[in-house]
Amino acid sequence: MEHMKLLLILITVLLNTPSLTRSVDDVLVHEYYQDKCPLAEEIVRHNVEVAVLKDPRLAASLLRLHFHDCFVMGCDASVLLDSVEGMASEKEAGPNKDSLRGFEIIDKIKFLLEEECPLTVSCADILALAARDAVQLRGGPRWDVLLGRKDSLESSFSGANLFIPAPNSSLEALINNFAQQELDIGDLVALSGSHTIGRARCVSFRQRIYEPKQEYHYGYDHYKRYTSFRRILQSVCPITGRDNKFAPLDYETPNRFDNHYFINILQGNGLLGSDNVLISQDYDGRITEQVWAYAANEDLFFKSFARSMIKMGNINVLTGNEGQIRQNCRFVNA
Ligand code: HEM
Ligand SMILES: *[C@@H]1O[C@H](CO)[C@@H](O)[C@H](O)[C@H]1NC(C)=O
């Protein structure tokens, strides 16, 4: 009887030891395409660069695509699938519809990669690489992207509605939302710094600029500045209508990936409600401390951001035989 128990324990331990149950092919690695497709990273980088030169906002859009991919069933390119009979696309879900951009440049990169090395480079890896390159091209940090993701066989319309955080979320909701992805509060703060580039539509920030004014911690001067910030936004975004008018997420340096986002939110001038709650609902002050640190030290922000992006890029990845390499990122292989 005792022996039986010991044996069971031993088996359990063995089964839960990653190196024994997962094959070598099962973990992401930096040099995944080194032999399989040596030009892969260069092809992505070059094409992202050309596209971002033409349309600087595309850098933001590509970064966001990777985020919206990873938060729904993991980083598996599910976000890229078009709707087919019986399966609604994530693109049609509330947070994505009329909002996500950059699909055409991903298509182009995929087309070129299929010519260079057919059925080798996954759409999920293209998204991770493009996000990294986009950040760097706008002046942000660079990091080595772990590679070897496979693409999903399905998309999840309901998952996109459920797991992508809304701009009017409370801090508690944001923390829980990130925790579901095994990302912690530090990751939430660092990754929110993505809102140093790109734009949001009026529908995304209307509630925030018409809500009753909050309390202020930073005195009268700040109050005056905040009032004019609101007035400008209200002229772009009336109480009704003009839903698709844009405002920059970082009104100071909208096209640069820098730490200005954190200075903005300290002043109460984050564009989205979800930006402002990081300060206004941080009752124990720990997030605020982190925000001050990033506002004061861009290098520190860059290091944390890179670390959290790598963590985000690891969410529920498919490896080995779990998925496929799509030939066309919009459709599962026939
Ligand atoms: C913390 C929770 C977050 C919320 C509630 C949120 C929400 C939003 C919303 C509502 C927009 C504007 C969409 C529109 O109006 O069309 C937006 C834009 C953007 N988000 Fe977030 N986001 C969050 C976290 C993140 C993260 C983690 C990243 C990247 C890692 C990110 C990257 C971006 C970028 C780059 C844009 C601009 C996109 C463009 O200009 O095309 N966001 N976000
Ligand atoms: C957030 O916005 C959505 C859509 O506009 C709305 O239905 C919901 O009530 C809002 N939630 C909060 C907490 O304000």
Side-chain angles (χ1 to χ4, degrees), residues 207-220:
Q207 188 183 345
R208 139 108 174 114
I209 58 168
Y210 290 99
E211 76 196 346
K213 287 173 186 160
Q214 302 150 6
E215 270 182 61
Y216 297 95
H217 314 282
Y218 301 104
Y220 183 67

Side-chain angles (χ1 to χ4, degrees), residues 42-86:
E42 177 52 29
I43 289 172
V44 176
R45 196 203 57 77
H46 176 72
N47 286 283
V48 170
E49 183 172 347
V50 170
V52 166
L53 273 176
K54 247 194 268 164
D55 171 10
R57 184 182 168 202
L58 208 47
S61 307
L62 288 170
L63 172 57
R64 187 166 182 241
L65 262 189
H66 181 44
F67 162 50
H68 282 212
D69 180 30
C70 292
F71 269 52
V72 183
M73 300 193 302
C75 313
D76 59 359
S78 57
V79 71
L80 298 178
L81 289 172
D82 282 352
S83 291
V84 290
E85 184 91 34

